[in-house]
Amino acid sequence: MEMENNKVTEEKEAEVLQKEETMEDYKAELEASYRQIKPGDIVTGTVIDVDETGVTVDFDYYAPGKIAADQMSDDPNFNILTDVQKGEEISATVVKTDDGAGNFVLSKKDATDELAWDKLEQMKEEKTVIHGMVGGIVNKGVIMYVEGIRGFIPSSKLELTYVEDTTPYLNKEIDAVIITVDKEQKRLVLSAKDVLIQNAIEEKNKKIEKIVVGTVVEGTVEQLMDYGAFVDIGDGISGLVHISQIADRRLTHPKQVLKVGDKVKVKITKIKDNKISLSIKEANEVINKEVEEDRFDYQEKGKAITGLGDLLKGIQLN
């Protein structure tokens, strides 16, 4: 009898719990249906339809939202049929609450403009590399859109050197980083040059990692300074020969014994923080030692061969 009472009690508790869950669900739906949405609000929903004329968005309200094709993006490279997919999430600004057919009129461009600047600022702080396409050519630079915002890349920031003719860059894909974000002035400036510089540094560092300290190599003097000479040792890598490491005698300036373009043997003596230290003096010491060792390479019975007679001994002449 007691077991039957417990069973009845459990069934009643389950029934009450189910009713409470149903009421909560109903309450949530009711609140959603009565929430006030007005022009200027930003709503987020799911794309349920896409065609050439625009996008239909379901944002959990009593009516869907419609975004006209020209309200999706200002980017000239934007294609509504390929760049928007059913099921993706979109944020848009409410322009009107009724288009005459019971739909909300939305604008993704307006929402993008409102939401994008904070994201752009974050991308600037994080030095995010942005891969995009040049969408326009203007005076002294080009245009590239980022997060739907028109960005400007000056001619001086397109390559490692100044670009005179920017025309070939139209529709070209490039990598860039943000260097200026000004929400109030609606000003966004990017640099492809900064990315190229960073890539060059990383590539150079990889080459330096392969260099072995103690190696003697041939290089070309590329610059003379009061404190030493910079020598190109090949593959775009240069090192410094301090003035004290150029010659055995004391110098007041490297130009006393060197000139730009000279070919010199240098020894790699140190690599620190990807900076290479070189020595002409130590390279000469290594070379002289090798020459000295070569001089005694020919031996007979443990004695060094030093004369012509010794070299010719044992050679039979017909």
Side-chain angles (χ1 to χ4, degrees):
M1 186 69 177
E2 185 177 349
M3 291 181 61
E4 292 180 359
N5 290 336
N6 289 339
K7 185 176 181 181
V8 172
T9 302
E10 290 175 358
E11 290 177 350
K12 287 183 178 180
E13 288 177 352
E15 186 178 347
V16 170
L17 183 60
Q18 185 176 5
K19 287 181 178 180
E20 288 178 354
E21 290 176 349
T22 304
M23 287 299 293
E24 284 299 321
D25 292 341
Y26 178 73
K27 181 181 179 183
E29 292 178 6
L30 191 62
E31 288 177 352
S33 66
Y34 280 104
R35 63 190 170 113
Q36 294 297 311
I37 293 180
K38 58 186 182 302
D41 288 349
I42 295 177
V43 295
T44 300
T46 304
V47 175
I48 56 176
D49 190 39
V50 184
D51 60 31
E52 295 88 348
T53 63
V55 174
T56 303
V57 179
D58 176 10
F59 56 100
D60 292 329
Y61 208 60
Y62 66 82
K66 295 282 189 178
I67 308 176
D70 62 359
Q71 289 299 309
M72 285 296 296
S73 175
D74 283 326
D75 188 342
N77 295 309
F78 176 79
N79 185 314
I80 193 169
L81 296 179
T82 58
D83 294 341
V84 183
Q85 306 295 326
K86 287 184 180 180
E88 76 171 271
E89 194 174 81
I90 282 183
S91 293
T93 300
V94 177
V95 179
K96 293 169 61 177
T97 56
D98 192 339
D99 63 354
N103 303 304
F104 280 75
V105 178
L106 309 176
S107 170
K108 186 178 184 298
K109 290 198 305 184
D110 291 351
T112 296
D113 189 69
E114 182 65 28
L115 298 172
W117 290 100
D118 289 341
K119 186 172 183 180
L120 292 172
E121 184 64 46
Q122 182 181 356
M123 294 169 77
K124 174 179 175 290
E125 294 299 320
E126 296 177 352
K127 295 180 171 45
T128 303
V129 176
I130 302 156
H131 184 77
M133 182 181 291
V134 174
I137 305 296
V138 294
N139 186 32
K140 297 183 179 180
V142 302
I143 299 301
M144 188 171 87
Y145 285 82
V146 184
E147 297 295 319
I149 301 297
R150 184 178 187 268
F152 173 63
I153 306 178
S155 298
S156 60
K157 295 292 185 179
L158 266 174
E159 297 287 351
L160 293 175
T161 56
Y162 186 85
V163 176
E164 292 288 347
D165 182 14
T166 59
T167 306
Y169 285 84
L170 185 62
N171 296 326
K172 181 180 179 180
E173 292 186 356
I174 60 174
D175 290 330
V177 291
I178 298 171
I179 56 176
T180 302
V181 176
D182 189 336
K183 182 177 180 179
E184 292 185 3
Q185 298 295 323
K186 304 296 183 185
R187 184 167 175 261
L188 177 65
V189 183
L190 302 99
S191 171
K193 180 178 180 178
D194 286 23
V195 176
L196 295 174
I197 290 174
Q198 186 58 40
N199 289 343
I201 291 173
E202 291 176 1
E203 187 63 30
K204 180 180 178 181
N205 290 344
K206 289 179 182 178
K207 293 177 182 178
I208 291 175
E209 288 175 1
K210 298 178 181 178
I211 295 175
V212 179
V213 173
T215 306
V216 174
V217 297
E218 184 176 75
T220 305
V221 177
E222 59 181 4
Q223 189 178 13
L224 298 177
M225 308 294 290
D226 292 342
Y227 50 84
F230 285 96
V231 176
D232 179 358
I233 59 174
D235 209 10
I237 306 298
S238 297
L240 172 66
V241 182
H242 190 267
I243 191 169
S244 64
Q245 293 297 312
I246 293 177
D248 290 329
R249 64 188 178 91
R250 185 174 180 178
L251 304 175
T252 57
H253 196 284
K255 66 182 178 182
Q256 291 176 260
V257 293
L258 295 174
K259 63 180 182 295
V260 173
D262 280 352
K263 299 291 184 181
V264 293
K265 295 286 187 179
V266 293
K267 179 181 176 182
I268 299 162
T269 58
K270 185 173 70 173
I271 299 175
K272 184 178 180 181
D273 298 329
N274 291 316
K275 294 180 180 179
I276 303 172
S277 297
L278 307 172
S279 173
I280 294 175
K281 283 172 56 176
E282 292 190 29
N284 289 334
E285 290 173 3
V286 172
I287 293 169
N288 290 336
K289 184 178 179 181
E290 290 176 349
V291 170
E292 192 68 25
E293 290 174 350
D294 289 343
R295 186 178 302 170
F296 295 99
D297 273 350
Y298 295 101
Q299 295 183 347
E300 182 184 62
K301 293 181 181 180
K303 294 182 180 180
I305 300 172
T306 57
L308 181 60
D310 289 328
L311 290 172
L312 296 177
K313 184 184 285 188
I315 297 178
Q316 295 181 354
L317 301 175
N318 294 327

